[in-house]
Amino acid sequence: QLQASGGGLVQVGGSLRLSCAASGRTFDNYNMGWFRQAPGKEREFVAAISYSGRGTNYVDSVKGRFAISRDNAKNTVSLQMDSLKAEDTAVYYCARSLKRYYYTDTESMDPTMYGYWGQGTLVTVSS
């Protein structure tokens, strides 16, 4: 089970930190990802982190502004979002990979490679 939190209303240029808490004993076996879905749009990949935390991947539009991290001791994954833009407005979802351990960058960006999803947290960036 995944529980996302930390969304809210923020002005352009502001920051938010999303968190996702996972239950279970094997959290550190799985890659984690953040996806988002804006109104009227398809769900899109935002960021992913490997099971160990040593590998990360980002969609180009958030590189340099967002940072994904994880704490395997606490079963949490976070997304620090800085320099937010109006186009970042969306519902953000955390997700756990279907398979354990190694994922390619391509796999990490594919929502069908994730089997468990949180309920989503709304981020609204106002201009």
Side-chain angles (χ1 to χ4, degrees):
Q1 187 175 2
L2 301 175
Q3 184 73 33
S5 62
L9 175 64
V10 63
Q11 290 187 331
V12 169
S15 298
L16 278 175
R17 186 176 181 85
L18 305 183
S19 294
C20 178
S23 58
R25 296 183 177 181
T26 58
F27 176 76
D28 60 354
N29 289 180
Y30 295 92
N31 299 276
M32 298 295 295
W34 285 97
F35 291 76
R36 66 187 179 186
Q37 187 166 17
K41 295 187 177 182
E42 293 186 353
R43 190 171 298 189
E44 68 166 346
F45 168 78
V46 176
I49 188 165
S50 66
Y51 64 95
S52 65
R54 288 192 287 267
T56 58
N57 190 27
Y58 299 91
V59 68
D60 286 347
S61 61
V62 309
K63 284 180 180 178
R65 300 189 297 120
F66 290 11
I68 189 171
S69 60
R70 67 189 295 161
D71 186 335
N72 284 341
K74 297 182 178 179
N75 279 19
T76 59
V77 60
S78 298
L79 185 69
Q80 177 66 40
M81 305 186 296
D82 299 321
S83 302
L84 282 161
K85 303 177 180 180
E87 51 263 42
D88 294 320
T89 295
V91 177
Y92 283 71
Y93 299 88
C94 61
R96 197 206 79 177
S97 62
L98 274 169
K99 66 177 185 178
R100 297 182 177 187
Y101 305 125
Y102 181 70
Y103 257 32
T104 65
D105 281 352
T106 300
E107 288 174 325
S108 75
M109 300 172 67
D110 182 355
T112 67
M113 299 302 290
Y114 292 82
Y116 295 89
W117 294 81
Q119 85 286 4
T121 185
L122 176 62
V123 172
T124 304
V125 185
S126 65
S127 56

